[in-house]
Each structure stands twice: as structure tokens, then as C-alpha cells.
Amino acid sequence: MKRKTPPPPSPRQATILRQLVELIPAYLVPKLAREHAVDKRARTFTAWSHVVTLLYAQLAHALSLNDVCDGLRLWATPLRALRGAVPPSRNALSHANSVRSSALAEALFWQVLAHLQQAFPAFRHGTARGLAWRFRRSIHVVDATVIQLVTACLDWAQHKRRKAAAKVHLRLSLRSLLPGFVVIGPAKESEIAHVRRVCAGLQSGEIVLFDKGYQLFAHFWELTERGVFFVTRAKDSLRFKVVRRRRRGGDARILADEEVVCTGRWVAGDYPGRLRRVRALVELDGQPCELVFLTNNLEWSATSVAELYRCRWQIEAFFKQIKQTLQLADFLGHSANAVQWQVWMALLVYVLLRFQAWSSRWAHSFARLLTLLRAALWQRRDLAQLLRRYGTADGPGAAAFPPAQSWLPGFAR
């Protein structure tokens, strides 16, 4: 007699952690493990168990290797229901973080993000409002943040005397508030060193916002030739010649609107075209402050240029979320590979939680979402109903089928 395959468990029979990690397609981690030769060096502690362990460390906010290993050992039985994941020993987890290539974690992050955005196209556009939708074009913000490492100076992450740090260079979409490109490296590397890589995927007609630390005029000219618009702050040392003074309009905050050409010795040849220079009064900490903006767009109003740059603070809020709510303060290893594993897993948790917030119409803060799920991590409850209990009335439509089934044949959209 042929044995029948048991039906998949209902959300009420699965733990909250299981419902989260099942957003990752079942084939993906073993496939990436073969591609990066991780499976050849794994015995009992597989690549999938490694990924689940680090996801748990982020969600549970574990402070050390012992916290992770002891916590998973106590829940070994429900952990095994997560596609056969097993709790690691302290040495096994430390060794895996050191020797298993973090390129697997990087590839996993991008493929899970692409998978969710392809299966649920509305998730790609997010629920942003205001300037991100008024311009009817994609707006990106480029910036970097420093992640302090608790240990004393490490050779690969020397930052200041007796300190060590890593730096995350990131491009954020203002519509979806999801990363578009990420580079993780030592803090001593400047922003300009990676700006071309971070902006490589921008398309004609899109907008990118920079801080003045990214002021590289040769790169600005490359963006202009590609049809990409940019807005940035002007440095005080910039030398220029005014070729046209434009009307300021009716906004009293606009002090000057000019078209200029660069005349500096090292800048004039890097950017041979015209730039737009806008001086405006912007409120900072409750006080009006004069700021100078540069852009290669000659058609927008001066007010729009100032408002666009104000949107750059969205990436500061993003960095604050991932650094204060996820586990990026206490690291489970001190090598460059171990730090990169933990940062990529933190970004993956951010995407999974953002997807859950979008699909369940979550109306509260990201920190509250993570706190709620941390408290209910091993409970057997329907995750969607749990979040809607705290939720709102109207919002983006719920998924037509369970997210965990979106990678099965016949369910893809």
C-alpha cells in the first residue's frame, strides 16, 4: 500500500520562527552551499542549520555563542521541524562563522529579496508616500554607517586608536525602504572608494541623493551621461562661476538659484557641464540653517531640490533601525568573515520582518514588531493573525496564498 504524504502543517501547528524561516525557499540554501563549496566541509552542522542559527541569534538578540547554543539546545525538538535544523555546539558555530564563506550569506540575502519582490510585486513598491511617489520615478539614497566592534584593534578593521569598526555602504530605495546595493568592509575605507559600485545599477531617469562626503565630480559626470539625476550638498571649498541666475519663485526659504560651472583646478575637467546651485534655509534642530545644494537637473523648482535632499534622512532612520533593534552590537566572532555573516543575516531578518509587516498591514514601529516576535518566537500561533491583532483597518492587500508556498510550482505569479 502506497504511503500518503502528510499535509503541510497549518500555521497554528508551526512556531513563529518556523513561519518566518519558511519564507526562504527550501532549495535555496543547499544550492548556494554547493556553489560556494560549503557543503563539502559541513558534516552534522549543515549550511541550513548555520543560517537558521544566525537568524535565531538576530531574532532572540543573543549576546554570545553560549546564548545561541544553549537557547537552541533547549528547543531542539521544534528546531528540528525547521527542515531538519540542529542546534550547534559552541566550537562548531565559531568555526562555521570563521571558515564558511560569507559570500553564501550575501547571495542568500539578494536571492530571498528578489524572490519576495517577484512573487509579490506590490512589496517591491512598498507603501511610501510623499515625495517618493510625487516624482513618479525611483529615488535612491546612498550613505554609509560605521558599526563599532567591541574588541580592541583588529588588523582588518582598524578605525581609530585602540578601536575597531566595520563600515556598511548602502543604497536604499525610498519607495520600498529596502536595500538596493550593499558593500561591507573595514571602516578605514572612504565612501568615495565604493561610490561607483553602489551606483552601478541606477537606470536613466532615476534620482540618487548623496551627502557631501560622496562629492566626486568625475562620478557625477558619469551619472549625468547615463541620464541619472543627483542631489547633494556643496562643500564650502567648491570654486565655481555663475553663468545664469534663475528666478527664486515665491518660496521665501530659497535664497539663491543659480547655474554654475566649476572652475577649480582639479574639478573643472571632471565635470565640464553646468550644475544647479541652490541656497536655501532649512530647519535643523528647530533653528533655520543655510545649506547649499548641487544638482544636475535644470528643470525642477528650487523648492523641490531642497525637499529632495531632506528625504536623505530616511537612510539615517534605516541605519538607526538596524543598529538599535537588530543584533549588531555584540558579535559572535571577530574575523572579517564572521562579522560579514552577522551583518548579512541582520539585513535578511530586516527584509523578512518588513515583508511580514507589509503583508499583515502592521501599523506600528519596526522595533515593536521585532519585540513582539521575539517574545512569541517558539509559540505555535498563526503569525498573520497575531500581527493583525495589533493592526489597522485598511492597507495593502493580503497575499492571495501563503508566502511559504510562493516558490512551489504553480503558485508563482
Side-chain angles (χ1 to χ4, degrees):
M1 182 177 179
K2 187 176 180 180
R3 180 179 298 178
K4 295 182 179 180
T5 304
S10 66
R12 287 189 174 274
Q13 296 174 337
T15 62
I16 297 295
L17 179 60
R18 180 174 179 179
Q19 294 174 65
L20 280 174
V21 300
E22 283 188 346
L23 293 175
I24 304 174
Y27 69 88
L28 188 54
V29 174
K31 171 190 171 185
L32 295 176
R34 291 191 298 270
E35 293 177 357
H36 294 87
V38 169
D39 59 338
K40 296 180 180 179
R41 306 183 66 175
R43 296 180 181 177
T44 57
F45 189 50
T46 62
W48 171 247
S49 296
H50 189 195
V51 169
V52 172
T53 298
L54 293 182
L55 292 177
Y56 166 79
Q58 290 293 330
L59 293 166
H61 216 274
L63 302 179
S64 65
L65 291 170
N66 287 332
D67 284 357
V68 178
C69 299
D70 293 344
L72 289 179
R73 194 175 294 115
L74 289 174
W75 297 96
T77 300
L79 178 65
R80 192 171 293 276
L82 274 65
R83 302 173 188 163
V86 297
S89 65
R90 187 179 186 278
N91 290 338
L93 179 56
S94 177
H95 183 263
N97 289 338
S98 300
V99 302
R100 294 183 181 178
S101 174
S102 60
L104 187 154
E106 180 180 358
L108 177 63
F109 168 78
W110 291 118
Q111 294 194 32
V112 169
L113 177 59
H115 156 70
L116 293 176
Q117 291 180 332
Q118 182 178 5
F120 304 93
F123 179 57
R124 178 189 301 272
H125 304 295
T127 58
R129 291 295 182 265
L131 220 58
W133 286 94
R134 196 177 75 189
F135 269 76
R136 299 184 180 275
R137 62 182 72 209
S138 298
I139 304 176
H140 306 270
V141 189
V142 173
D143 205 349
T145 186
V146 173
I147 299 176
Q148 296 291 340
L149 304 180
V150 178
T151 184
C153 284
L154 301 175
D155 293 338
W156 70 272
Q158 291 182 359
H159 179 42
K160 296 180 180 178
R161 186 173 181 266
R162 301 182 62 83
K163 290 185 179 180
K167 184 178 285 188
V168 178
H169 307 262
L170 186 136
R171 187 181 80 230
L172 184 73
S173 169
L174 280 189
R175 284 197 171 186
S176 62
L177 296 180
L178 295 173
F181 195 91
V182 181
V183 177
I184 303 172
K188 63 183 178 181
E189 294 180 348
S190 67
E191 287 83 352
I192 292 179
H194 295 285
V195 65
R196 284 186 168 92
R197 292 177 59 192
V198 175
C199 298
L202 296 177
Q203 304 295 322
S204 176
E206 295 183 341
I207 304 170
V208 59
L209 312 177
F210 298 104
D211 193 10
K212 59 183 178 181
Y214 288 90
Q215 197 163 109
L216 183 63
F217 283 89
H219 177 243
F220 288 167
W221 183 246
E222 294 171 7
L223 294 177
T224 302
E225 290 187 318
R226 286 161 48 190
V228 178
F229 301 115
F230 66 84
V231 178
T232 185
R233 287 264 310 278
K235 291 184 177 180
D236 297 336
S237 59
L238 178 65
R239 298 179 62 183
F240 60 91
K241 176 183 177 182
V242 178
V243 296
R244 181 189 173 191
R245 299 187 187 276
R246 303 165 61 103
R247 297 184 61 182
R248 292 184 298 169
D251 194 340
R253 297 173 299 175
I254 304 302
L255 304 179
D257 186 3
E258 306 162 333
E259 293 181 19
V260 303
V261 293
C262 299
T263 59
R265 180 179 178 184
W266 304 107
V267 176
D270 292 339
Y271 198 97
R274 290 188 179 188
L275 283 170
R276 182 102 167 269
R277 183 176 181 270
V278 176
R279 285 194 303 122
L281 286 177
V282 179
E283 185 176 339
L284 294 177
D285 299 328
Q287 299 294 329
C289 179
E290 181 180 327
L291 298 180
V292 182
F293 307 107
L294 290 178
T295 181
N296 59 344
N297 189 288
L298 305 179
E299 298 178 358
W300 297 331
S301 68
T303 303
S304 295
V305 174
E307 289 182 352
L308 268 173
Y309 187 82
R310 187 178 60 180
C311 294
R312 198 194 67 83
W313 293 104
Q314 290 285 350
I315 199 170
E316 302 293 346
F318 170 83
F319 287 143
K320 181 179 179 181
Q321 283 183 342
I322 65 172
K323 292 170 72 172
Q324 293 187 358
T325 59
L326 298 175
Q327 183 51 296
L328 290 176
D330 302 286
F331 284 84
L332 305 180
H334 295 155
S335 66
N337 195 72
V339 170
Q340 290 178 358
W341 261 103
Q342 192 160 336
V343 174
W344 283 115
M345 289 297 102
L347 293 174
L348 180 57
V349 168
Y350 174 84
V351 168
L352 295 179
L353 295 189
R354 275 291 176 197
F355 177 79
Q356 289 293 345
W358 169 82
S359 62
S360 61
R361 309 171 187 175
W362 180 259
H364 306 287
S365 67
F366 180 80
R368 187 174 180 183
L369 172 63
L370 183 58
T371 303
L372 173 65
L373 296 187
R374 182 185 301 132
L377 206 55
W378 296 106
Q379 293 186 12
R380 299 179 182 274
R381 302 182 62 175
D382 188 340
L383 178 56
Q385 291 184 6
L386 174 64
L387 297 184
R388 289 195 185 101
R389 225 175 124 194
Y390 297 83
T392 62
D394 297 325
F401 53 88
Q405 295 181 344
S406 60
W407 47 269
L408 295 175
F411 285 92
R413 295 186 177 182

